[in-house]
Amino acid sequence: MVTEKEDMKKLEFIEEMTTNVDAVQERVLVEILGRNGGSEYLEKCGLAAATDRTTFRAKVPMVTYEDLKPYVMRVANGDRSSILSGPSHPISEFLLSSGTSGGEPKMIPTVKDELDRRQLLYSLLMPVMNKFVPGLQKGTGLYFLFVRSETKTPSGLPARPALTSYYKSDCFKKHASDTCTSPLAAILCADVFQSMYAQMVCGLCQRHQVVRIGTVFASGLLRAIQFLQQHWEQLAANIEHGELSPCVSDPSVRAAVAGILQPDPKLAQLIRTECSNGDWAGIIVRIWPNTMYLDTIVTGSKAQYVTILSYDGGDLPIASTKYVSSECPMGLNLHPMCDPSEVSYTILPNLAYFEFLPTDGAASAEELVELADVEAGREYELVVTTYGGLSRYRVGDVLRVTGFHNAAPQFRFMRRSGALLSIDADKTDEADLQRAVERAAALLRPHGAAVLDYTSRVCTKTLPGHYVVYWELMATNQQEGAGGTRSVDSDVLARCCLEMEESLSYVYWVLRVVDGTIRPLEIRVVRPGTFQELVNLAVSHGASMGQYKVPRCVTVSAVIQLLDSRVVSSHFSPALPHRAPWTAL
Ligand code: AMP
């Protein structure tokens, strides 16, 4: 049990870090360059033994993953020389980012002690929360946490998502049982169904102790609620008799659940009463009546889930507590009980070296601004230099400075630069979508049709969400006449949906096929002239006709309404997409 004194120490640490932002950043950079200065990459940049900020700023270029990929691949393939990080801190594993490179996950290099920094950030979250929500220490958390199967690079280094790496760490294993209802064996079970089932049973059995409920991203929490909707009868039967269904076959998970699951006919009856009437409003507080808040990220693309989560949660507050990535841990929300639309994150200067590229046309490293120097009201793209060997690396996140805590800027997450579509951890950008449409449109050719124009959106009206792609078709066949369309068979269009899914990223495939977090992709064919109407609509709202570009993703409700009112047919992917299995290389 954490004491008030320990909480105070953590809060003081936050005060100290946020007061001495620039001095801490200076120290961090010296430390990183002290370790990694001898790496091939930084030597090539002309840094050799220098560890000062001025030389670093003058010599090290700003890069993307594509620039570093050849170096990453050499490490992954077994070159043990100091390529990105220095000899004292070799790369210990690769974290698979949900950001993709040519459809495959980015492999972010990391070093052993990076886990300590991640843990340090996580250890600050509850002290902040306790400040705002008294009484949390009297209960526990129901957290739905999952690992994925991992792979190894040819050099034998693990390649796995950051959370899988964290949940498998000793540090997490030591603390997990203090803070959450899910047994470790259930969290570490790579079979998503068995893991979810076991975590749900244990959360139900301990319903009175639960004071907070969470997942990393909001989409995950909605998935858990949906799981309850689909399986409550079986769950109630298990609880009534104190016996776990054979659908959970993993022996270690069964053993762990056996320690928690006891016959409880009263609880079984409550679950049946609450779940059988089809009314899901406030289901979370009806089942877990002592819940004080939902702990899940609803910023960025996850903001789309606030309404439905508030419905399921009976208007419980939703706390977006942290801002992290595979590249490095970044920051936390110092006012976690604020409205989701008001969330800002304070980046902690001890976690990495942070720089900011103004988004108003700046494109070169000379224009990078230090953490201590960003200006309120301005937007920037985040650029990080990490202990793991990334130097001036563009994460791809666009942030707006909303204010300061002491000397530390606070940032609102605005968007992922380039990402068009996202339901869960998937991030589909314009190039991914273009590639998918081109591949699918090729199937129309033998049928005398082509895609004249297209756009897309995420639809979360029915959960889980799915991608909707609007197509306006044109005839390519002379006999059809210019501008005419011919009706393409429904089967062909359904096949186009599948073709698109098969061309999307590895992360999309995992969520769609392994997790079932994404429903089949849909093509909505709109009637001829619809995209011209979009132009007219934009012009009537002040856009210049000459400069108008079809948005490849639509979010404005008037535009969505227009598109939906012009739909002539709708088609869904008829099967799960196939994909060559991804190996670390
Ligand atoms: P990954 O590399 O797969 O770990 O994903 C990290 C990315 O997820 C970040 O760069 C952000 O784009 C996004 N992300 C992480 N935390 C948040 C947050 N609190 N709000 C919005 N987006 C976030």
Side-chain angles (χ1 to χ4, degrees):
M1 179 67 80
V2 183
T3 63
E4 237 171 69
K5 212 162 134 201
E6 282 170 64
D7 269 12
M8 286 307 295
K9 266 208 217 136
K10 298 280 186 195
L11 296 176
E12 277 164 22
F13 177 76
I14 294 174
E15 290 307 294
E16 187 193 322
M17 286 299 120
T18 54
T19 303
N20 302 314
V21 174
D22 202 48
V24 178
Q25 281 282 270
E26 177 101 41
R27 173 177 63 70
V28 165
L29 185 63
V30 169
E31 201 171 66
I32 292 176
L33 297 181
R35 286 168 166 215
N36 297 341
S39 68
E40 177 187 321
Y41 179 76
L42 283 177
E43 269 187 13
K44 240 189 207 157
C45 294
L47 221 61
T51 58
D52 64 286
R53 201 189 264 194
T54 314
T55 315
F56 173 80
R57 286 184 63 89
K59 302 221 160 168
V60 178
M62 187 169 61
V63 292
T64 63
Y65 181 78
E66 303 311 321
D67 298 317
L68 295 186
K69 198 170 174 183
Y71 297 90
V72 167
M73 288 306 165
R74 276 175 53 209
V75 181
N77 276 320
D79 188 336
R80 287 299 171 107
S81 59
S82 302
I83 295 174
L84 287 165
S85 67
S88 59
H89 291 84
I91 287 165
S92 55
E93 63 178 294
F94 290 99
L95 302 180
L96 300 181
S97 165
S98 53
T100 53
S101 154
E104 305 295 5
K106 291 178 184 167
M107 300 207 302
I108 307 297
T110 190
V111 289
K112 274 219 166 79
D113 67 351
E114 187 68 1
L115 206 56
D116 300 339
R117 279 175 287 278
R118 213 166 271 273
Q119 173 57 28
L120 171 75
L121 175 64
Y122 292 157
S123 76
L124 303 175
L125 304 179
M126 280 319 290
V128 172
M129 212 64 206
N130 288 332
K131 225 170 81 171
F132 292 93
V133 190
L136 285 176
Q137 277 149 333
K138 293 195 192 112
T140 184
L142 165 52
Y143 283 83
F144 296 97
L145 307 175
F146 301 92
V147 296
R148 297 196 181 289
S149 54
E150 56 184 77
T151 175
K152 274 201 165 40
T153 65
S155 59
L157 294 174
R160 52 195 179 180
L163 286 172
T164 299
S165 168
Y166 178 62
Y167 298 149
K168 290 187 174 178
S169 71
D170 290 340
C171 166
F172 177 80
K173 288 179 186 169
K174 211 162 81 198
H175 296 296
S177 58
D178 301 347
T179 53
C180 96
T181 55
S182 299
L184 192 62
I187 295 172
L188 296 183
C189 172
D191 181 306
V192 184
F193 179 89
Q194 293 189 46
S195 175
M196 174 73 95
Y197 196 97
Q199 295 191 53
M200 186 63 83
V201 169
C202 296
L204 288 167
C205 291
Q206 299 168 76
R207 66 187 275 268
H208 287 297
Q209 288 99 291
V210 170
V211 290
R212 50 202 169 97
I213 298 188
T215 53
V216 180
F217 290 120
S219 43
L221 194 46
L222 291 171
R223 186 151 51 104
I225 299 305
Q226 198 178 37
F227 190 90
L228 179 65
Q229 291 174 347
Q230 287 163 350
H231 301 285
W232 60 266
E233 285 173 273
Q234 201 179 349
L235 288 158
N238 290 182
I239 289 170
E240 178 166 14
H241 303 292
E243 250 183 59
L244 187 61
S245 294
C247 66
V248 178
S249 56
D250 183 313
S252 64
V253 180
R254 291 191 70 81
V257 175
I260 295 169
L261 178 62
Q262 304 290 332
D264 189 343
K266 258 192 177 163
L267 173 56
Q269 189 47 46
L270 177 125
I271 294 168
R272 289 181 182 121
T273 309
E274 295 299 347
C275 297
S276 62
N277 63 12
D279 172 17
W280 296 98
I283 188 69
I284 295 179
V285 274
R286 284 192 274 132
I287 302 271
W288 292 278
N290 300 321
T291 314
M292 298 186 195
Y293 70 97
L294 303 178
D295 184 352
T296 191
I297 293 172
V298 283
T299 43
S301 63
K302 310 301 174 280
Q304 62 191 322
Y305 300 115
V306 170
T307 311
I308 173 91
L309 212 49
S310 299
Y311 177 84
D312 288 347
D315 288 326
L316 279 171
I318 307 171
S320 293
T321 59
K322 56 188 172 294
Y323 175 42
V324 289
S325 74
S326 306
E327 288 82 0
C328 57
M330 297 178 297
L332 77 173
N333 177 359
L334 295 178
H335 299 279
M337 299 310 274
C338 70
D339 188 84
S341 61
E342 298 288 310
V343 173
S344 292
Y345 300 101
T346 303
I347 290 186
L348 288 187
N350 58 318
L351 300 174
Y353 185 67
F354 299 101
E355 293 175 283
F356 297 84
L357 185 69
T359 52
D360 46 14
S364 72
E366 290 86 63
E367 291 159 284
L368 283 169
V369 178
E370 309 273 354
L371 179 61
D373 296 335
V374 295
E375 292 169 40
R378 288 191 75 180
E379 279 186 18
Y380 300 90
E381 193 189 318
L382 179 66
V383 175
V384 296
T385 298
T386 69
Y387 287 86
L390 301 175
S391 299
R392 304 192 112 180
Y393 173 94
R394 297 172 78 155
V395 174
D397 292 349
V398 177
L399 311 172
R400 177 184 295 159
V401 183
T402 53
F404 290 82
H405 179 82
N406 298 323
Q410 301 186 295
F411 296 93
R412 179 149 308 149
F413 184 94
M414 300 307 290
R415 60 186 180 278
R416 176 91 183 176
S417 98
L420 287 185
L421 301 168
S422 174
I423 284 175
D424 192 272
D426 52 308
K427 298 177 180 73
T428 297
D429 67 16
E430 198 160 328
D432 296 332
L433 184 65
Q434 173 74 22
R435 199 174 50 227
V437 168
E438 276 171 14
R439 234 178 89 170
L443 302 182
L444 299 175
R445 249 176 257 141
H447 304 275
V451 176
L452 177 67
D453 223 327
Y454 71 92
T455 188
S456 66
R457 73 182 172 99
V458 155
C459 175
T460 48
K461 211 166 158 192
T462 325
L463 291 171
H466 72 295
Y467 288 10
V468 174
V469 186
Y470 295 91
W471 275 10
E472 182 172 329
L473 300 180
M474 60 182 267
T476 51
N477 189 327
Q478 289 304 313
Q479 283 125 48
E480 296 302 323
T485 54
R486 74 189 249 169
S487 71
V488 180
D489 257 9
S490 210
D491 286 356
V492 175
L493 285 157
R495 175 70 206 146
C496 289
C497 295
L498 185 58
E499 190 74 15
M500 244 189 268
E501 291 197 301
E502 289 185 342
S503 130
L504 290 173
S505 73
Y506 171 77
V507 178
Y508 179 92
W509 178 84
V510 170
L511 295 167
R512 168 92 168 88
V513 176
V514 183
D515 289 7
T517 318
I518 300 180
R519 280 197 307 131
L521 182 146
E522 179 183 2
I523 290 176
R524 292 185 188 169
V525 178
V526 293
R527 74 181 190 214
T530 301
F531 278 78
Q532 184 53 46
E533 289 187 69
L534 283 192
V535 182
N536 300 343
L537 184 69
V539 170
S540 74
H541 283 89
S544 133
M545 179 77 92
Q547 286 173 349
Y548 176 81
K549 290 176 203 69
V550 177
R552 290 306 179 206
C553 175
V554 288
T555 49
V556 177
S557 58
V559 177
I560 294 173
Q561 266 171 27
L562 189 149
L563 285 163
D564 281 335
S565 67
R566 304 295 188 267
V567 171
V568 291
S569 64
S570 148
H571 313 268
F572 288 91
S573 195
L576 290 172
H578 290 285
R579 205 172 194 284
W582 183 81
T583 50
L585 282 185

